[in-house]
Amino acid sequence: MKKRSNALMPPQLRGLAKLIVKGDDKVSHWLEEITDKLVSIVLIALLLFGALLLTLLLTVELRHESIHIMDQAGTVWTQMADSFPEVTHWFNHQLPGSVSSAVDAITSHAYLQGRQFISSWLRDAISSNNNSSQIENQLLDTWDRLFNIWKNQSSVRQQGKKEVL
């Protein structure tokens, strides 16, 4: 048979076939070793992706439900105000001091923070010269006027609501 083996397949091709078989054995062995790792990596990636997707969906649903609850609470409050004006009147007279003082403090703080931000932003944006201080004063004056207009409009609205109730 050895004499005829050269006729069936030349020695060069036989060597190439042995090399291919050895390479195939090594690749098969390597795939068997790495398969567990690859499957673990894919499963972990899928779990992370699923957790991220679930978190995103829950966040969107929570936002949707919160908006719905606020809408329903507003509807209930409006119906209660229409049905029981004395409760609304009592509620508005019991809380206005604490609520209005808290809102006034918050708006005053936001106004001062806004002035400071505008001033620092303008100083950073424009180089120091005589013109920049004039521009800063004009911008802060505009900010003061806008705040006063807003505050006057909101106080007029509040007075109109109190007169209705």
Side-chain angles (χ1 to χ4, degrees), residues 67-77:
I67 290 171
H68 180 70
I69 287 171
M70 293 303 293
D71 185 44
Q72 292 300 316
T75 302
V76 167
W77 177 258

Side-chain angles (χ1 to χ4, degrees), residues 19 80 137 158:
L19 183 65
M80 185 190 76
N137 289 335
Q158 290 297 327

